[in-house]
């Protein structure tokens, strides 16, 4: 699964198996990724503004320079994910 700089804004990808996907610099704003398996995916520089990642498997995902503004990460597995910044 390789889709560099793709526009997937607002798509329903809930429950999809995207393990190891390369979505570098892609637009995933407002995308529904609830319950999706993104284990080991490359989301470097991706726009995830307002994305729903509830209960998603994000283990080992690379979020370097990704925009997660207003993204829903409730219940998501972020074990070993990199590039995440904690905000107050």
């Amino acid at each position: 699964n390789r889709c560099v700089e793709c526009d997937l804004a607002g798509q329903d990808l809930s429950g999809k198996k995207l393990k190891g996907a390369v979505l570098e610099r892609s637009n995933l704003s407002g995308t529904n990724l609830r319950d999706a398996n993104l284990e080991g995916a490359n989301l470097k520089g991706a726009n995830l503004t307002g994305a729903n990642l509830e209960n998603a498997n994000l283990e080992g995902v690379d979020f370097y320079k990704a925009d997660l503004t207003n993204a829903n990460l409730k219940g998501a597995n972020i074990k070993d994910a990199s590039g995440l910044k904690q905000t107050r």
Side-chain angles (χ1 to χ4, degrees), residues 2 15 18 20 23 27-28 32-33 44-45 47-50 58-60 63 65 70 76 78-81 83:
R2 185 173 177 83
L18 300 168
L23 298 167
N27 182 4
L28 297 160
N32 184 6
L33 290 158
K44 290 180 188 174
N47 178 358
L48 291 150
T49 305
L58 306 174
E59 185 173 346
F63 287 106
K65 290 194 175 183
N70 295 321
I78 58 171
K79 181 182 178 191
D80 297 328

Side-chain angles (χ1 to χ4, degrees), residues 18-62:
L18 300 168
K19 185 175 180 178
V22 178
L23 298 167
E24 193 170 346
R25 299 183 311 277
S26 291
N27 182 4
L28 297 160
S29 61
T31 298
N32 184 6
L33 290 158
R34 182 181 181 156
D35 298 316
N37 182 4
L38 289 150
E39 183 180 344
N42 176 350
L43 294 175
K44 290 180 188 174
N47 178 358
L48 291 150
T49 305
N52 182 10
L53 296 157
E54 187 173 350
N55 297 321
N57 182 8
L58 306 174
E59 185 173 346
V61 171
D62 188 348

Side-chain angles (χ1 to χ4, degrees), residues 3-22:
C3 193
V4 175
E5 296 183 356
C6 292
D7 186 1
L8 300 170
Q11 298 296 310
D12 183 3
L13 301 176
S14 56
K16 296 291 183 188
K17 296 175 184 172
L18 300 168
K19 185 175 180 178
V22 178

